[in-house]
Amino acid sequence: MSGSELWGWIAGAFVTCSLIPQLIRVFKLKSAKEISILFNTLLLIGVLMWLGYGIALELLPVILWNAIGAVLVATLLYAKLKYGR
Amino acid sequence: MSGSELWGWIAGAFVTCSLIPQLIRVFKLKSAKEISILFNTLLLIGVLMWLGYGIALELLPVILWNAIGAVLVATLLYAKLKYGR
């Protein structure tokens, strides 16, 4: 693995894993009033588009991080619909 | 521009621009209690790493979206520090 490839793997890990503490916070507070539903929706569309991009170009880190990201963003959207307003 | 390149530009636009309604929401509510500071911090590190990756490999969309993203995430972090708790 090249240095830039490793760097990309780590950068992707930071971006995708950042969603985990945000999810924990919303589920712990049982409140998602401040989470924008438009943020959630646009992010989900974008992540799914990156996933398609990764699959089309066979880029493993792009596939992996965006597949995990899609699950995390979908879960945040679920939390918003459950605890939002 | 190839089809996949265009697709990447659009996917990046969705992901980066998703932060705009989230920022608007937090500044409108003047409250960022539900925003996780760890989410903000990890995301900022990740975006800055992608920016460095884009600069090193001279990937224009990666540079552009992550430069804008870094400003937006830094603003969200400012909002969290101002309105959080």
Side-chain angles (χ1 to χ4, degrees):
Chain A
M1 194 186 290
S2 72
S4 64
E5 221 179 328
L6 180 66
W7 186 264
W9 274 100
I10 299 171
F14 269 103
V15 170
T16 298
C17 296
S18 72
L19 287 161
I20 297 172
Q22 183 57 64
L23 270 173
I24 292 171
R25 182 134 187 101
V26 164
F27 278 102
K28 213 166 105 185
L29 293 173
K30 292 188 194 311
S31 171
K33 185 177 170 253
E34 293 162 15
I35 307 296
S36 158
I37 194 152
L38 197 54
F39 159 69
N40 247 294
T41 310
L42 294 176
L43 188 58
L44 188 58
I45 295 169
V47 167
L48 288 173
M49 283 187 75
W50 276 127
L51 180 60
Y53 180 91
I55 292 169
L57 299 186
E58 297 182 353
L59 300 167
L60 193 61
V62 179
I63 296 171
L64 182 85
W65 291 129
N66 286 289
I68 298 172
V71 174
L72 294 173
V73 178
T75 310
L76 190 61
L77 186 58
Y78 166 79
K80 172 63 186 176
L81 295 173
K82 191 172 178 190
Y83 301 127
R85 294 304 142 98
Chain B
M1 192 187 293
S2 72
S4 64
E5 219 178 330
L6 179 66
W7 186 265
W9 273 101
I10 299 172
F14 269 102
V15 170
T16 298
C17 295
S18 72
L19 286 162
I20 298 171
Q22 183 57 63
L23 270 174
I24 292 172
R25 182 134 187 101
V26 165
F27 278 102
K28 214 165 103 184
L29 293 173
K30 293 190 194 311
S31 172
K33 186 177 170 253
E34 294 163 15
I35 307 297
S36 158
I37 194 153
L38 196 54
F39 159 70
N40 247 295
T41 310
L42 294 176
L43 188 57
L44 189 58
I45 295 168
V47 167
L48 289 173
M49 284 188 73
W50 276 127
L51 180 60
Y53 180 91
I55 292 169
L57 298 186
E58 297 183 354
L59 301 166
L60 193 60
V62 178
I63 296 171
L64 181 86
W65 291 130
N66 286 290
I68 298 172
V71 174
L72 295 173
V73 177
T75 311
L76 189 60
L77 186 58
Y78 166 79
K80 172 62 187 176
L81 295 174
K82 191 172 179 189
Y83 300 127
R85 296 303 143 98

